[in-house]
Each structure stands twice: as structure tokens, then as C-alpha cells.
Amino acid sequence: MLAYLIRRLLYALPILIGVNVITFALFFVVNTPDDMARMQLGVKRVTPEAIERWKAERGYDKPLFWNDAAAGTGKATETIFFTKSVKMFALDFGSADDGRDIAREISLRMGPSLAVALPVFALGLFAAIAFALLLVYFRASYLDFAGVVLCVAMMSISGLFYIIGGQWLVSKVWHLVPISGYAEGLTAAKFVVLPVLVSVLAGLGSSARWYRTIFLEEYTRDYVRTARAKGLSERLVLFRHVLRNALIPILTGAVVAIPTLFMGSLLIEAFFGIPGLGSYTIDAINAQDFAVVRAMVFIGSALYIVGLLLTDISYTLADPRIRLQ
Amino acid sequence: MIKPVLLWSDLLFFLLIAATFAGGWLAARTEHLRLAWRRVGRSRVAMAAATLLAAFLLIGVLDSLHYRERLPGDGENYAVEVRSALDALLTGLRTRQERTYSAPLATHLFAKESLEGDQGRDFPRLKHGGAHLGADTAGHGADLLAKTVQGMGVGVVAWLVLWLGFLPARQAAPHLAWDAVLATLFALCLVAGPVLLLAQGYHVLGTDKVGQDVLYLTLKSVRTGLLIGTLTTLIMLPAAVALGLLAGYAGGWIDDVIQYLYTTLNSIPGVLLIAASVLMMQVVIDTHPDWFATAAERADARLLALCAILGITSWTGLCRLLRGEALKLRELEYVQAARALGVSGARILWRHILPNVMHIVMIAIVMDFSGLVLAEAVLSYIGIGVDPNTVSFGSMINTARMELAREPMVWWSLAAAFAFMFVLVLAANLFADVVRDAFDPRASR
């Protein structure tokens, strides 16, 4: 098990390097720092001096991969690739365009992101499984059919509609919670309730329908027929046999998402004014702050790889037959 | 005179439609594909959804026939704006602009303004909405009712004509669910008739902040949604199919490289990869203004680039599926036999493996569509979607989002965008479900 985990972690290294190369290519080869400077300064009034100053301020005034002018190891380290990409492995993200330290900003914003993302994850999973179990319990009835129709309708509605509709109904018409904003401590609950409800609702349709198909597939298995034949009640069959066995595919989809919860949700945070990592990313995208976007891409992929690893471990917990080696 | 303009997206869109027809022709010659499509055709839900999708497709095709108008005067001078056949059909809607917000079917502007002279503040009369009623709008309600009833009459007549038109098709293929098609068409006609008549004198879905007709904007959005939903899949399809099959069939280091490639791409959070790519593309477009002759071409390039970016981020799922399938097929007897007979690897992939994974590709195409249409709205909202000059559901929602905070509320542009998007995505989802069930070998009994 431990050997397996170590091997998997080592396997993650080339992937992270690959991610770094892709983002590097995206940010510095497709567009040279000169292009970016021209873009940031405005296309019309740029002098070569202004571009040089912009590049020097942000550390883009070095060669891309290889610095012949430097001495010793400086040939490799005094380059944009090294200063902007390799340092990320040491979690050194540098500073954003507004001069703030990105790593510090991230640690500050992780809390609000988790305050929304964790309840969304837990409640969403619970609601979808419960709804799917209900439909499966009444399978091949009108209730089941109506439920599936509801699921398809719900997944055909744009996520933006849930957000805008929820804000309008709950905050503006009913005046139950503030439209947007955030506060530290327990008062945060007031601000978090609506985004959590909205995201759970928005995701319910597709996940409940997917879980329903998984449950139904389990229902056709022989062991279910055996369980019923030996006189188990329908409820026991459903909860003890079907649910337990259907957990594996459900876990694959769910566990991989846990680490990425740290990243928060771009859309929800932007709409509800929650100062988390999602809104940080959106602001960076809108301000074209490349350093921040690059840092978030790196962290996001690292967390995704952790998620894959967690998925493997959760397999062994859910299904004793699976051994990692 | 006009000068036809063929934008790149138009070309790809028409190619795609041609490919669909070619695919249909091929499917009709292949026994098991014909059976699967017949299952789709027998489903009422699928046929009703297909009818709706065909209506959307018609709008999209009309909106893809672009041209530039010739300017009055001597010489070969053409207008800078690129219009489409849909624009020409909807000239009335496009040109009847008001000053600002007005509610659906209204005769007055939405907000009070100081009137000329000394009449205090009141709702100003619309320039075009209900103009035929004259200054006195007493007959407004009656006029609306009369136009609606007349429109329904027109709709029923149009439906009867369609019904007659469908007679030969129904006789040729009696086992298809034509009743669902006709019922959907009836509903469409019943809605379209009144809208058509009312649109002559009113703004059926109101006007937006700068006084543009919302109905016109919504119809224009359809093309953007369709393009994003279809072209993205088209762009990523060759890479996904080729790499997936190659990885599964060849195995060894090729498999390792391809797996590494898609795991790496997959591990970058999708939205961030899209955002980063769109940012970079924006820099490229902004630093090379000389590449594009007209604003329409620039917007078109951005739309295509967005499709490509969405494609690059979404091919991994299909690729992994196909790899697994090719792994399985490689061990089957008929492939072993082909190999024993000395058939080359490329030929085995092309003749023996590709046709047997086509159902997976087919399912992926239809399943991806609705997700992509929804994704466009979200991306345009975040500001990394289509060009601001391109009308799309996302940009409509984006410009309308602050209007809910107004008092009283301006709800119609949001409602129109969401309603159209809902119908389009719902139809696509329902159709995709039936197609998946029909093509999935496990489900066929």
C-alpha cells in the first residue's frame, strides 16, 4: 500500500512538470512578454522604453530558457522559465500585479472558499443520493418517471438561472439573507446559506439521474435476486446491498473532487461576493493578472492529482476486495 | 447587389451539416446503424425533440448565410457590416429601435422621463411599439387580442400546409413517430403565428437597455449556441478518436505517451485552462488587428478559437473511453483473424475497429452538445466567452444581470435568454438520451 502510494506520488511529478510546461508555453511562447507588455500598456501609445520598464518590474526581462550572459548555474536559473515556473514547486508563487504576495493571499482566501464548498459537497452528495434512492425505491412507477423528467428539466436549466433566480427570490423578494457579501466567524452562516442551497439545487438534476442509473444497474445483479429470494425486505436490499455496492462508482466521481474544493467555485463566489479563491481567480482573469492565473492552474492540478490518489485509497475502504499494489 | 461573405465558422458549420447528411447516407446502408436510428425514429420524445432542434437549426443556417450590402453610389463599395439572411428577414425587428427599456408588447417606455414642454414627468410613447395605434392607445388590449387570434389562425393554416407536406414522407416511412413531429410543429406554429403578427407592430419580448428588440437578439443567439455546441465537438473529434484508438490498439510506449498527455491536460482545472487560453488568444487577436478585415471576422475568429479551446479541454474524456474500447476490441477474434491474415495495423484500425466504436463517438457528440451550450453562457458571463460584439445567450445574460436590481425590475431579456436556452438544451438532452439508449449495445433488447 505504502509502496503503491509512493509510486503514485512519483508518477505525479512528470504530470506536474507537464502542466508547468503547458502553462509556460501558453503564457510565454504563444505570447512573448513583449506582447503582454504592449497589451497591458495599451496597444497605441507604447514606447520600447515603457515595454522594457514593464518587463523589468515583473521580472520578464530575461531569456526564456537559457541565459548565456549569466555565470555558472545562473545560466539555467536566471531565466523566465526557472523564475516563473520551477519555483512553483517550492510553493513560491511570487507576487501579483498589485504587488501582494500570492501565497499569502491564497492562505487567506482558502477559508471562505471552504466555508461554501464543503457544505455544497456534503449536502449535494447527500441530496443526490437520497433523491436517487427514492426514485429507485419507486422504480418503474409514475413517481420514478416524474422524478426523471424533473431531473432532465433541472439539468437543462442554466446554472446562471439558479443563481440569479435564487438571489432574486430569497434575498430580494423574501428578504431572508443578504444578496452577497461575507463575514468572518459565525455570522458567515448568513452569507453562506444561499450560495450553498443554490449550488446544491443546480447540481442535483444531473447527479441524481446518474446515481439512479448506477443503482438500477446494481439492481439487475444476481446477488440482489438472491437477497430478495431469501426473504430480505426491499428496504434492506436497497440500503445494505444496492447502496453499498453502488458506492464504488459514486466514490470515483465524488472523492476526486474533494481536494479541488479548496479552489472554490468561480461562479458562485463571483456572484455572491465571497472573498475566496474562486473570486480571486475571476478577478485575476478580468485584470489579466497572469501570475495569479498561473499559480491557480498549478495548485489546481496538484490538488487534482491528490484527488486521484484519494480515490484509489477510498476504493480499498469501500470495497475490501480491492488491494493496491 | 450584395457580396456574399463566407466566414470560417459558416464554412465549418455547412461542412458539418454536409457531414451529417453523408453520415446519414452511410448509416442508411449499414444494417445495425439503420436499426439503431429506426429505434430513435420510433421514439415520440426523440422525434419531438428533433423537430425543435431542426427549427433551431433552420434559424442557425439562415443566420450563417452572410453578405455585405452594396453601398449606394458609383463603384464597387460594400458596407462594412456583415449581415446574414436572418438579419434580412428580420430587418423590421433590427431597425425598429427604441431609446431604452420597454416591457414586452408595451406602447410606452419603461421609465418616466421629463416630457417636452411643460407636461411634467410621464412614460414617453414608444417610437415603434404600437405606433399603428396612433397617439391614443385606448385600443391596445383589443389590438393585442385581435392580433393574437389572427396569428393563431395563420399558425393553424401554416400547420395544415405542413401537414400536407409531410404526407409523402409519412407514407414512405410509416413506422416513424410522425404524430410527435406534427404535434410539435402544431405547438410551434401556434406560438410563431401570433409572434409573427405581433412583431409587426410591437416588441414582443420588449427592448433592452439601448432599445434593441430582445426577440431579435434571442434569435441571433441561437447560431452562437449551435456553433459552440457542434463545432467544438467537430474540432476535438479527430484527435480524440485517433489518439484513443491508437493508444488502445498499439499499447506499449505509445499508450504511455498518450495516457500521459491526457492525464496532464485533464489535471488542469477546466475553467482555468479555458480562461488562460482565452486570455492568451485575446492578446494574439489584440496585437494583430491587421489580420481581420471586418469586426465580424474578428468576432468570428474569437468564436472559432473559443470552440478550439473548449475542444482541447474536452477531448480527454472521449479519448479515454475509446482507448478502453480499443483495448477490448483488440483481443476479439475478428481482429486477431485480420492480423493473422496480414492486414496492416492502420487498416485494422480503420476497417475493423473504427466502425465498431462509432456508436460511442455518436453518443459523445449528442451528449456534449447541451453541456457546451450551457458552458458558453457561463464563460461569456465570466468574461472569457465570445467576443462582446457577438450576440449569445451568455452575453445577453451578462448585460441583463444588473437589471434585476432595478426597481421596478427589468426581467424580460433574462427571461427570454433563459427560456430559449432551456428549450434548446432540453430538446438536445432528450434527443441525446434516446440516441444513447438506441446505440448502447447493452440497452438493446
Side-chain angles (χ1 to χ4, degrees):
Chain A
M1 177 84 175
L2 193 67
Y4 174 81
L5 288 184
I6 291 174
R7 209 171 62 234
R8 281 298 299 261
L9 278 177
L10 286 180
Y11 185 60
L13 212 60
I15 293 182
L16 272 182
I17 293 174
V19 168
N20 239 324
V21 170
I22 291 179
T23 42
F24 183 80
L26 215 68
F27 281 97
F28 295 109
V29 181
V30 176
N31 292 290
T32 61
D34 285 39
D35 283 338
M36 274 193 281
R38 218 166 286 139
M39 170 89 180
Q40 291 270 325
L41 297 167
V43 181
K44 296 216 176 74
R45 301 179 299 278
V46 276
T47 56
E49 296 83 54
I51 292 181
E52 286 307 319
R53 202 173 335 115
W54 188 89
K55 276 161 63 181
E57 273 168 16
R58 284 164 183 75
Y60 292 139
D61 54 348
K62 299 176 181 121
L64 280 181
F65 289 105
W66 191 253
N67 192 348
D68 271 332
T73 52
K75 279 193 196 301
T77 55
E78 289 292 306
T79 58
I80 296 182
F81 181 72
F82 189 83
T83 52
K84 299 290 170 190
S85 292
V86 180
K87 272 188 179 169
M88 281 198 189
F89 284 98
L91 298 186
D92 176 2
F93 302 116
S95 51
D97 278 354
D98 59 4
R100 288 193 219 177
D101 184 41
I102 296 179
R104 196 184 120 74
E105 200 75 2
I106 288 174
S107 64
L108 281 180
R109 285 165 174 270
M110 220 177 241
S113 273
L114 280 181
V116 178
L118 269 183
V120 168
F121 176 76
L123 269 179
L125 197 63
F126 175 76
I129 291 183
F131 191 48
L133 279 177
L134 182 81
L135 294 185
V136 168
Y137 191 72
F138 292 101
R139 64 192 174 283
S141 71
Y142 281 110
L143 191 76
D144 181 27
F145 179 73
V148 174
V149 170
L150 185 71
C151 281
V152 176
M154 279 176 77
M155 57 192 268
S156 303
I157 297 174
S158 168
L160 296 170
F161 179 80
Y162 290 102
I163 298 175
I164 296 176
Q167 278 185 331
W168 175 73
L169 194 68
V170 179
S171 297
K172 195 161 169 245
V173 179
W174 293 344
H175 295 290
L176 289 180
V177 291
I179 285 189
S180 69
Y182 191 74
E184 290 296 324
L186 278 180
T187 37
K190 182 168 73 174
F191 293 99
V192 162
V193 167
L194 185 59
V196 168
L197 279 184
V198 162
S199 351
V200 167
L201 201 64
L204 188 62
S206 55
S207 41
R209 201 173 74 123
W210 185 47
Y211 294 162
R212 176 182 166 274
T213 30
I214 294 175
F215 287 141
L216 281 182
E217 215 170 287
E218 285 301 317
Y219 251 111
T220 58
R221 298 287 165 83
D222 289 338
Y223 71 87
V224 174
R225 200 185 311 134
T226 313
R228 229 181 263 138
K230 72 182 186 193
L232 282 188
S233 72
E234 191 63 33
R235 210 171 328 141
L236 270 182
V237 172
L238 187 63
F239 283 101
R240 191 168 295 165
H241 294 265
V242 173
L243 181 59
R244 183 77 201 271
N245 280 289
L247 267 183
I248 299 173
I250 291 179
L251 277 178
T252 345
V255 173
V256 79
I258 291 179
T260 48
L261 291 181
F262 285 99
M263 304 283 294
S265 153
L266 296 184
L267 208 56
I268 291 282
E269 286 183 13
F271 256 99
F272 289 94
I274 289 163
L277 287 177
S279 56
Y280 188 48
T281 316
I282 291 253
D283 291 345
I285 291 171
N286 286 332
Q288 310 212 324
D289 190 332
F290 302 106
V292 176
V293 176
R294 221 168 47 235
M296 297 310 289
V297 167
F298 182 77
I299 297 175
S301 10
L303 289 174
Y304 176 80
I305 292 169
V306 175
L308 288 182
L309 206 62
L310 285 182
T311 314
D312 282 351
I313 299 174
S314 66
Y315 274 155
T316 55
L317 296 180
D319 188 347
R321 285 171 303 181
I322 297 177
R323 295 249 186 284
L324 302 178
Q325 43 196 292
Chain B
M1 274 308 288
I2 57 167
K3 174 171 147 191
V5 175
L6 191 65
L7 298 176
W8 280 104
S9 59
D10 300 340
L11 184 72
L12 285 173
F13 192 47
F14 291 131
L15 270 181
L16 185 72
I17 294 171
T20 314
F21 276 109
W25 180 72
L26 274 179
R29 300 197 324 167
T30 322
E31 181 65 25
H32 66 280
L33 290 178
R34 196 167 60 221
L35 279 178
W37 279 116
R38 194 167 291 170
R39 266 201 293 275
V40 175
R42 266 201 293 267
S43 154
R44 288 217 168 84
V45 176
M47 289 302 266
T51 314
L52 276 178
L53 288 178
F56 278 113
L57 192 66
L58 182 69
I59 298 175
V61 169
L62 281 177
D63 205 9
S64 295
L65 298 165
H66 285 105
Y67 67 90
R68 279 162 78 176
E69 230 164 87
R70 185 161 176 182
L71 291 175
D74 307 326
E76 293 277 305
N77 291 320
Y78 292 96
V80 187
E81 302 124 279
V82 176
R83 298 247 164 78
S84 72
L86 187 75
D87 291 328
L89 282 179
L90 301 177
T91 306
L93 285 185
R94 184 163 49 83
T95 51
R96 281 198 291 270
Q97 251 194 347
E98 304 295 343
R99 209 159 59 243
T100 179
Y101 295 119
S102 68
L105 302 173
T107 54
H108 290 85
L109 273 186
F110 187 61
K112 284 187 178 177
E113 281 178 12
S114 306
L115 295 184
E116 282 171 37
D118 195 24
Q119 303 170 40
R121 285 169 66 79
D122 201 358
F123 299 104
R125 188 79 172 76
L126 287 184
K127 246 184 298 175
H128 304 287
H132 57 287
L133 296 173
D136 177 32
T137 55
H140 186 205
D143 186 54
L144 287 184
L145 191 67
K147 285 237 163 75
T148 309
V149 173
Q150 281 170 17
M152 284 181 170
V154 171
V156 170
V157 172
W159 180 73
L160 284 175
V161 173
L162 283 173
W163 187 83
L164 281 177
F166 268 102
L167 268 183
R170 290 172 68 185
Q171 265 158 9
H175 48 270
L176 299 185
W178 291 109
D179 49 345
V181 174
L182 288 170
T184 315
L185 281 177
F186 186 69
L188 269 181
C189 289
L190 221 48
V191 175
V195 168
L196 198 68
L197 281 199
L198 286 170
Q200 312 289 330
Y202 299 95
H203 301 288
V204 181
L205 295 177
T207 54
D208 72 353
K209 187 170 184 180
V210 289
Q212 277 179 301
D213 192 290
V214 173
L215 178 64
Y216 171 71
L217 292 179
T218 354
L219 289 177
K220 291 286 283 182
S221 305
V222 169
R223 173 178 183 262
T224 318
L226 285 179
L227 279 183
I228 299 241
T230 51
L231 286 191
T232 301
T233 322
L234 181 78
I235 289 173
M236 66 115 176
L237 210 53
V241 173
L243 290 180
L245 292 186
L246 197 64
Y249 183 75
W253 65 272
I254 300 180
D255 189 19
D256 287 340
V257 169
I258 294 174
Q259 273 200 68
Y260 169 73
L261 198 66
Y262 70 64
T263 321
T264 306
L265 267 180
N266 222 11
S267 68
I268 304 177
V271 185
L272 283 181
L273 185 58
I274 295 170
S277 314
V278 171
L279 276 184
M280 290 302 114
M281 170 195 75
Q282 194 55 43
V283 176
V284 172
I285 290 181
D286 283 355
T287 46
H288 300 277
D290 46 317
W291 286 357
F292 311 103
T294 57
E297 273 178 38
R298 197 177 57 231
D300 189 63
R302 175 148 180 183
L303 183 67
L304 277 184
L306 184 66
C307 288
I309 290 167
L310 282 172
I312 289 171
T313 51
S314 67
W315 63 275
T316 51
L318 179 62
C319 185
R320 189 163 40 195
L321 267 183
L322 289 176
R323 174 181 167 270
E325 197 65 20
L327 268 178
K328 234 184 321 180
L329 290 176
R330 183 175 69 167
E331 305 302 329
L332 290 187
E333 281 97 349
Y334 73 93
V335 178
Q336 303 277 4
R339 208 178 303 152
L341 286 171
V343 183
S344 72
R347 204 167 161 75
I348 291 181
L349 276 180
W350 180 251
R351 287 285 313 238
H352 299 284
I353 296 198
L354 184 63
N356 286 300
V357 297
M358 272 327 262
H359 65 282
I360 297 181
V361 176
M362 186 74 232
I363 292 169
I365 294 175
V366 287
M367 297 292 279
D368 280 353
F369 177 80
S370 50
L372 287 167
V373 175
L374 291 179
E376 183 276 325
V378 171
L379 292 179
S380 297
Y381 173 79
I382 311 180
I384 50 176
V386 295
D387 189 85
N389 293 325
T390 313
V391 189
S392 78
F393 293 125
S395 58
M396 275 182 76
I397 294 169
N398 193 15
T399 47
R401 69 186 148 138
M402 295 318 288
E403 294 167 3
L404 278 186
R406 284 174 64 105
E407 200 62 52
M409 194 171 66
V410 176
W411 49 270
W412 43 88
S413 0
L414 271 182
F418 279 132
F420 265 70
M421 207 155 70
F422 175 67
V423 174
L424 176 62
V425 173
L426 184 66
N429 271 335
L430 292 174
F431 188 69
D433 270 4
V434 179
V435 169
R436 189 191 50 195
D437 288 348
F439 279 84
D440 193 348
R442 278 185 306 175
S444 62
R445 29 191 117 81

